[in-house]
Amino acid sequence: MSINGRAFLAGAFEHPGRELPNDSLAQIHATVCLGALADAGLTMEDVDGYFCGNDAAGAGWISMADYMGLRNLRYMDATESGGASPIYHVSHAAAAIAAGKCSVALVSLAGKPRTGIQPGGGGPVVPEDGFEGRMYGVVGSTSTYALAARRHMYEYGTTSEQLAEIKVAATIHASHNPNAFLRKVLTVEDVVNSPLIADPLHRADCCVITDGGGAVVVVSPEIAASLPRASVKILGSGEAGKIVNGGRTDLTYSSAVWSAPRAFAEAGVTPADVDYVSIYDSFTITVLMMLEDLGFCEKGEGGRFVQDGALVAPFGRLPFNTDGGGLANNHPGHRGGITKLIEAVRQLRDEANEGVQVPDCQIALVHGNGGDLGTRMRSATMILGREDS
């Protein structure tokens, strides 16, 4: 069953805070949910579907439903896919709405990695721990992303300066965002001269660490038509995963090579039709590889594609992450998917910050990934359009 035109994003809200020492995780979830519902012109009483990941407080969705007084739930989903989770959730909410399982679905994400404890940290011993990880010097995600970056450089001649172009674009966009964590515009030289964290990735190649969160509201076409605000149409989505296969894996591509074609096929559009992209940007190499895997340029051409301001709004070849993204604005709970959805909604409503609104933005792509580029990962791609598209 296709979800094309079967559900709409009617509300979106991003917490304005980036350091929230006095807010509990449950409070942040509730704040962003209330904000998204108010943006849509709805209330908690209207919600009959709720979606969240491992970032939810307490016992997951049931604790949050109790905390927020969601008494009318008919459909719940706690799919966990890291930074891609909110995009999975919106896709699943759209399918549930199309199947008549609910009509107003709330999707929320929150985290406190900057001033508190992040849920889901550590976790149980996983099957691959005896063959990978610390015993071979892999400590944290930066090192595995660095492996992918180094291999891409070896295979295709990608340079640190080309990766830096992505951070530069992000900081240009963040300078227009009063809530952005980093508002100083960086140059290519600033990025490549920042300290190395895991060769070849520099500190400025890495995302920010922030508290905060966001939420979106997914509704049926009938509900969308009754609301005073413009909604955003969900045109298509795709999901995929990539495994290590016992070490026999190519580090230069991601599972977006499978999720993106599925999303484009359902939406009935091509990469050439896309006016704006929201791409999960945990590191600069993440964006570069996703641009290739999503079909905006050939494999190995990402470094050349991002040069000369190609990603800078409003008039670049392909404006991306116009809020500053995870590289400069916000990365709540180490999960970038929710903010990518929110900024895409802003762009399609002509509500992006002054100076970065893409003219006549009709089609937007949102992409998130969980896991990491150097080992196993999962991807979610979504195509969105204006309400009248």
Side-chain angles (χ1 to χ4, degrees):
M1 176 178 60
S2 174
I3 62 171
N4 189 326
R6 304 292 295 276
F8 290 74
L9 285 163
F13 183 82
E14 178 185 11
H15 199 295
R18 303 293 179 262
E19 295 185 358
L20 303 169
N22 299 319
D23 289 32
S24 71
L25 196 61
Q27 282 177 308
I28 300 171
H29 269 281
T31 297
V32 297
C33 285
L34 288 168
L37 287 166
D39 185 58
L42 296 165
T43 70
M44 291 287 187
E45 292 295 321
D46 298 308
V47 176
D48 58 357
Y50 181 57
F51 298 71
C52 64
N54 282 356
D55 56 279
W61 72 262
I62 190 65
S63 290
M64 288 310 308
D66 193 25
Y67 183 83
M68 296 190 293
L70 296 175
R71 293 180 287 272
N72 302 317
L73 294 182
R74 297 192 288 138
Y75 197 93
M76 296 71 66
D77 186 333
T79 297
E80 175 52 43
S81 292
S85 295
I87 304 167
Y88 274 79
H89 294 157
V90 171
S91 177
H92 297 180
I97 289 170
K101 300 293 186 180
C102 59
S103 58
V104 177
L106 190 57
V107 177
S108 69
L109 178 147
K112 292 192 59 172
R114 190 163 189 87
T115 64
I117 297 173
Q118 178 64 20
V125 174
V126 292
E128 62 270 14
D129 271 359
F131 306 94
E132 303 172 7
R134 295 179 184 275
M135 65 183 297
Y136 293 111
V138 177
V139 182
S141 60
T142 308
S143 54
T144 54
Y145 278 77
L147 284 173
R150 178 55 70 195
R151 189 65 191 182
H152 202 280
M153 288 177 167
Y154 174 80
E155 292 283 353
Y156 303 114
T158 307
T159 67
S160 291
E161 287 75 15
Q162 290 171 333
L163 291 178
E165 294 272 9
I166 297 166
K167 180 73 168 204
V168 170
T171 61
I172 290 172
H173 297 157
S175 70
H176 295 272
N177 183 354
N179 295 321
F181 187 78
L182 298 178
R183 298 194 64 198
K184 178 184 177 182
V185 176
L186 300 183
T187 65
V188 169
E189 291 72 23
D190 291 331
V191 177
V192 298
N193 289 330
S194 64
L196 272 173
I197 302 299
D199 187 23
L201 297 180
H202 301 79
R203 182 172 63 194
D205 287 299
C206 306
C207 62
V208 299
I209 297 174
T210 57
D211 299 338
V216 294
V217 182
V218 190
V219 303
S220 66
E222 295 76 18
I223 297 290
S226 72
L227 298 175
R229 298 217 53 203
S231 296
V232 167
K233 184 185 291 187
I234 298 171
L235 300 177
S237 69
E239 302 171 8
K242 178 188 174 187
I243 61 175
V244 174
N245 194 28
R248 295 179 293 275
T249 188
D250 184 342
L251 298 179
T252 64
Y253 73 93
S254 73
S255 47
V257 298
W258 302 299
S259 64
R262 293 165 186 166
F264 280 117
E266 185 170 42
V269 299
T270 70
D273 298 312
V274 175
D275 301 306
Y276 165 78
V277 293
S278 279
I279 298 177
Y280 187 29
D281 52 346
S282 47
F283 301 90
T284 52
I285 184 61
T286 315
V287 177
L288 187 141
M289 283 179 52
M290 296 309 139
L291 288 168
E292 296 173 344
D293 295 347
L294 292 166
F296 293 106
C297 60
E298 294 296 321
K299 177 55 64 179
E301 292 296 317
R304 285 172 283 278
F305 183 87
V306 302
Q307 291 180 311
D308 303 320
L311 304 181
V312 178
F315 302 117
R317 181 190 310 162
L318 186 66
F320 101 118
N321 296 7
T322 45
D323 60 341
L327 288 169
N329 169 38
N330 194 12
H331 192 209
H334 307 311
R335 294 160 173 252
I338 196 70
T339 54
K340 302 301 171 281
L341 287 161
I342 292 168
E343 185 66 6
V345 169
R346 292 181 185 131
Q347 282 287 348
L348 290 167
R349 285 175 164 176
D350 287 327
E351 294 176 356
N353 289 311
E354 186 177 357
V356 297
Q357 175 64 54
V358 176
D360 193 31
C361 186
Q362 297 289 327
I363 302 291
L365 177 145
V366 181
H367 181 78
N369 64 275
D372 61 64
L373 296 185
T375 58
R376 56 206 55 77
M377 65 173 306
R378 54 271 198 201
S379 296
T381 308
M382 180 163 285
I383 313 295
L384 305 173
R386 285 184 182 261
E387 189 170 26
D388 55 358
S389 62

